[in-house]
């Protein structure tokens, strides 16, 4: 397998594509609006007509992702706050509706954390709009209800062949299937990823890329006796399908040293994000720092460290903005220092001449030097 076909190169290319897209949007800002409408309306269209990936858990609870993956909600959250700052009311109402239509457990948590973080950082700018924020939140819930009602008229719940049918017919069943079982699978998946990381990673052809190969590996290896302790079967491992949390999944493929390097890189960029916020990054500039910090720390259930991941591309865009901001700030500091040094040098030269000669002689010297420089066209000496 060539380097260009390797997963590591594709991960880097995905993040780099996000950074390049951010640079492009500096000149074509309308591109963000076009993409936002396409993503949000695609989700709503999917929920209305049962097109693409749709999960209906009860008559009034459904999730739709169109032809995107379930990580799309995290991207929509960023776009919602972006247009909340821009005061584009129609668009962030549509985005909020699509967030609720596609949102899951981790998405709700990320949205709450993002809201708290955003308003705490931008309180002096957006604090007065907190009331309107909750008003649009209620409007988004109403939009979700309208989508559900229309979709039921298009295709009745009892007659639909939906994925996830009856998973939330009661509150107890919903808690068991959507929370307890999901957390249990994430836990065993993370344990498998940690074991594979400690084993040095399974690179290339050794990596179990299919659910069947993953189940065979877990049954054969039985990491730390987990199969016997929790009565795990091959079918259960096949249902899990692979390592799901992003960092254990990365370490499972590349080993502890590569994982450590990735975490170190995120730590450095995260420190830059914190520095940007402390030095006054607000409104749109603060979004990139906030999203990067929340995603790399809190988003540990979505598999966003994958090639082609929209969240990874957005993370790359945020990292690019953070790095560019730091470089511009340091460049500005360097320019200021050069100016200060030049001013100090000129003062020192003037004082030296005044101490060496009289003030009148110094004026005559400067006048002669200026005349000689103009005649020689800037050259000094013969």
């Amino acid at each position: 397998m060539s380097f260009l076909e390797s997963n590591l190169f594709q991960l880097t290319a995905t993040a780099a594509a996000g950074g390049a897209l951010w640079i492009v949007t500096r000149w074509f800002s309308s591109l963000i609006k076009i993409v936002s409408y396409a993503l949000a309306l695609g989700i709503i269209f999917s929920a209305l007509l049962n097109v693409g990936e749709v999960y209906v858990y009860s008559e009034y609870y459904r999730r739709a992702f169109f032809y995107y993956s379930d990580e799309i909600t995290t991207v929509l959250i960023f776009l919602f706050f972006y247009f909340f700052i821009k005061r584009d009311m129609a668009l962030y109402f549509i985005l909020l509706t699509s967030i609720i239509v596609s949102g899951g457990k981790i998405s709700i948590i990320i949205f709450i954390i993002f809201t708290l973080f955003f308003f705490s950082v931008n309180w002096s700018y957006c604090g007065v709009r907190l009331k309107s924020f909750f008003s649009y939140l209620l409007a988004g819930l109403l939009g979700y209800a309208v989508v559900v009602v229309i979709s039921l008229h298009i295709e009745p719940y009892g007659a639909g062949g939906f994925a996830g049918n009856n998973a939330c017919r009661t509150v107890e069943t919903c808690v068991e299937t959507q929370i307890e079982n999901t957390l249990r699978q994430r836990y065993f998946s993370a344990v498998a990823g940690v074991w594979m990381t400690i084993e040095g990673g399974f690179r290339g052809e050794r990596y179990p890329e299919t659910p069947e190969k993953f189940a065979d590996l877990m049954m054969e290896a039985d990491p730390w006796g987990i199969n016997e302790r929790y009565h795990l079967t091959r079918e259960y491992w096949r249902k899990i399908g692979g390592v799901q949390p992003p960092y254990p999944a990365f370490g499972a493929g590349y080993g502890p040293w590569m994982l450590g390097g990735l975490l170190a890189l995120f730590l450095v960029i995260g420190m830059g994000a914190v520095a940007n916020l402390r030095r006054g990054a607000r409104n749109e500039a603060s979004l990139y720092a906030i999203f990067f910090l929340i995603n790399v720390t809190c988003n540990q259930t979505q598999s966003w460290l994958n090639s082609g991941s929209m969240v990874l591309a957005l993370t790359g865009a945020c990292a690019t903005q953070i790095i560019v901001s730091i470089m511009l700030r340091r460049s500005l500091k360097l320019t200021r220092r050069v100016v200060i040094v030049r001013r100090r040098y000129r003062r020192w030269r003037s004082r030296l001449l005044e101490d060496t000669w009289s003030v009148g002689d110094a004026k005559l010297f400067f006048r002669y030097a200026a005349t000689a420089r103009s005649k020689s066209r800037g050259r000094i000496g013969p």
Side-chain angles (χ1 to χ4, degrees):
M1 182 175 63
S2 65
F3 175 73
L4 296 179
E5 296 176 347
S6 67
N7 186 60
L8 184 61
F9 173 80
Q10 293 177 8
L11 286 175
T12 306
T14 300
L21 183 61
W22 174 80
I23 295 174
V24 170
T25 57
R26 298 304 92 191
W27 287 277
F28 304 100
S29 58
S30 59
L31 181 62
I32 303 178
K33 196 168 187 176
I34 295 172
V35 171
S36 300
Y37 269 115
L39 295 177
L41 293 177
I43 294 295
I44 295 174
F45 175 78
S46 175
L48 285 172
L49 302 179
N50 190 28
V51 176
E53 189 176 358
V54 181
Y55 296 89
V56 180
Y57 302 103
S58 69
E59 189 172 3
Y60 301 107
Y61 175 39
R62 66 179 57 208
R63 297 178 65 192
F65 309 119
F66 197 37
Y67 292 105
Y68 320 122
S69 62
D70 61 350
E71 65 179 9
I72 183 62
T73 312
T74 306
V75 178
L76 294 173
I77 290 172
F78 175 88
L79 295 174
F80 165 75
F81 281 96
Y82 180 88
F83 287 102
F84 180 78
I85 292 173
K86 299 293 184 181
R87 296 177 181 269
D88 193 329
M89 294 181 292
L91 184 51
Y92 70 74
F93 166 71
I94 295 175
L95 285 167
L96 187 55
T97 302
S98 64
I99 288 172
I100 299 173
V101 170
S102 63
K105 298 168 286 297
I106 187 61
S107 302
I108 294 174
I109 295 174
I110 290 177
F111 185 82
I112 294 173
I113 296 174
F114 208 114
T115 301
L116 295 175
F117 208 160
F118 173 80
F119 279 103
S120 63
V121 170
N122 296 284
W123 183 255
S124 58
Y125 298 89
C126 301
V128 295
R129 301 178 59 196
L130 186 61
K131 184 176 180 180
S132 64
F133 174 84
F134 284 106
S135 298
Y136 275 94
L137 183 60
L138 293 175
L141 291 171
L142 179 61
Y144 170 78
V146 171
V147 169
V148 171
V149 171
I150 295 176
S151 64
L152 289 175
H153 280 82
I154 295 175
E155 185 171 1
Y157 174 69
F162 303 107
N165 194 19
N166 289 328
C168 285
R169 59 185 181 275
T170 64
V171 176
E172 293 78 8
T173 306
C174 195
V175 171
E176 180 182 355
T177 58
Q178 302 303 305
I179 298 180
E180 294 180 0
N181 290 348
T182 301
L183 291 177
R184 180 183 172 88
Q185 291 181 10
R186 294 291 193 276
Y187 168 73
F188 293 134
S189 175
V191 170
V194 171
W195 175 81
M196 294 172 68
T197 302
I198 295 175
E199 290 295 312
F202 290 69
R203 294 179 177 85
E205 296 180 355
R206 296 180 60 216
Y207 190 82
E209 70 276 5
T210 64
E212 289 74 18
K213 292 183 178 180
F214 178 72
D216 292 338
L217 176 62
M218 290 299 103
M219 292 304 296
E220 179 182 354
D222 190 16
W224 301 302
I226 192 173
N227 293 336
E228 182 178 355
R229 184 181 308 172
Y230 294 100
H231 308 290
L232 303 182
T233 63
R234 184 185 183 280
E235 179 60 24
Y236 188 80
W237 282 114
R238 193 195 64 80
K239 184 179 179 181
I240 293 176
V243 183
Q244 298 169 357
Y247 296 141
F250 185 88
Y254 297 103
W257 295 109
M258 290 287 289
L259 177 59
L262 177 68
L263 294 177
L265 176 63
F266 284 166
L267 177 62
V268 171
I269 299 176
M271 292 173 63
V274 173
N276 285 350
L277 293 175
R278 293 183 62 183
R279 284 170 172 79
R282 296 296 181 268
N283 286 336
E284 181 184 345
S286 70
L287 283 183
Y288 300 96
I290 293 173
F291 181 86
F292 184 88
L293 293 171
I294 291 177
N295 186 61
V296 300
T297 56
C298 300
N299 192 1
Q300 300 305 313
T301 59
Q302 294 176 344
S303 302
W304 57 271
L305 274 176
N306 288 323
S307 58
S309 167
M310 300 178 68
V311 174
L312 179 58
L314 181 55
T315 304
C318 293
T320 302
Q321 192 275 341
I322 293 167
I323 294 171
V324 170
S325 298
I326 294 173
M327 293 175 62
L328 291 177
R329 186 169 61 247
R330 290 187 175 181
S331 176
L332 181 60
K333 286 183 178 179
L334 180 61
T335 304
R336 289 176 178 173
R337 289 176 182 176
V338 171
V339 172
I340 292 173
V341 169
R342 287 179 176 175
R343 289 177 179 175
R344 288 178 178 176
Y345 170 72
R346 290 171 182 171
R347 292 195 194 102
W348 173 82
R349 186 181 64 176
S350 299
R351 290 175 182 173
L352 179 63
L353 291 173
E354 290 176 1
D355 291 340
T356 304
W357 300 304
S358 63
V359 175
D361 293 337
K363 291 182 178 179
L364 289 173
F365 173 80
F366 284 127
R367 187 179 303 170
Y368 169 77
T371 304
R373 189 182 301 111
S374 64
K375 290 182 177 179
S376 62
R377 297 181 180 180
R379 296 192 302 272
I380 299 175

